[in-house]
Structures are given as structure tokens and as C-alpha cells.
Amino acid sequence: MEVKGRRGPAFVAELNVPTPLLGVHALETLGFKVNPRTGELEEISPEGGYLLQTTNPAKP
């Protein structure tokens, strides 16, 4: 999937609904979250999200 120019893997479920829905997991994978007060998409990580991390920051 692609959101705001970032691409990454996501699980997709095709549903017969009037409005498409993009889940929290998919957004976090790309480094985004939805601000619950404004409904706006916000960046939480400049490089992408949690699943795209290749190193363990807790280990030197």
C-alpha cells in the first residue's frame, strides 16, 4: 500500500462498505497515526513505522 508517498506491506480485507477503511496497524507500519482530536494524519516516524525497523535499538 502507499500513503503520502510511503510504501509498505499491509494485510488487506476487501469489504462491501461505502467508505474504505485503513487500519491502525497499516498506518503505523508506514510511520503515521490519526490524531483523534483533529482527524488529521500525523507522522510518528520519519523513516517509516515499527515493522520496517531492521535493527534493535535496545542492543548496541
Side-chain angles (χ1 to χ4, degrees), residues 21-36:
L21 176 66
L22 189 57
V24 171
H25 186 292
L27 288 173
E28 288 181 347
T29 297
L30 296 177
F32 294 108
K33 71 173 185 173
V34 175
N35 181 319

Side-chain angles (χ1 to χ4, degrees), residues 2 11 16 18-19 21 23 28 32 34-35 37 41 44 48 51 60:
E2 184 173 343
F11 291 104
N16 187 15
T19 304
L21 176 66
E28 288 181 347
F32 294 108
V34 175
N35 181 319
R37 292 185 180 170
L41 197 58
I44 57 174
L51 295 180

Side-chain angles (χ1 to χ4, degrees), residues 3 8-10 12 20 25 38 43 52 57:
V3 175
V12 176
H25 186 292
T38 65
E43 186 178 281
L52 300 178

